[in-house]
Amino acid sequence: MPWIISYYSERVLTDIRSLPATLKARYAKLAGIITESGPNIGEPHTKAFGSGLFELRLKGKEGAARVMFCALIEQQVVMLHCFIKKTQKTPKHELDIAMRRLKEVKRDADT
């Protein structure tokens, strides 16, 4: 059964669509793998942050980007947040946005 990718908001989808070409192509490839096999594709493509939060690691000639996501029981992956990575470590502000959205998505899924 294929996995479904959805987006926390239209803004997240817009941010992904506005990534530089090589990063957008990398996202498309990894999203295709996720829909076929599920979100557990492992490093170096994904990394777990705990509490059900993961990052999709995009790297290309224009730099690096991250798409934070979670997986739900119904074989659904929700893309929560997208940003261009400018430092070695994921900025706390970006992680806080993703964690806040994760909590909201989990709360909504439980109701």
Side-chain angles (χ1 to χ4, degrees), residues 83-94:
F83 63 96
I84 299 291
K85 191 156 185 202
K86 297 178 181 169
T87 62
Q88 190 74 5
K89 188 175 178 184
T90 299
K92 183 178 179 339
H93 170 74
E94 306 292 358

Side-chain angles (χ1 to χ4, degrees), residues 8 13 16 18 28-29 34 74 99:
Y8 173 80
L13 181 57
I16 291 169
S18 66
K29 181 176 180 171
I34 288 172
E74 309 84 27
M99 287 299 287

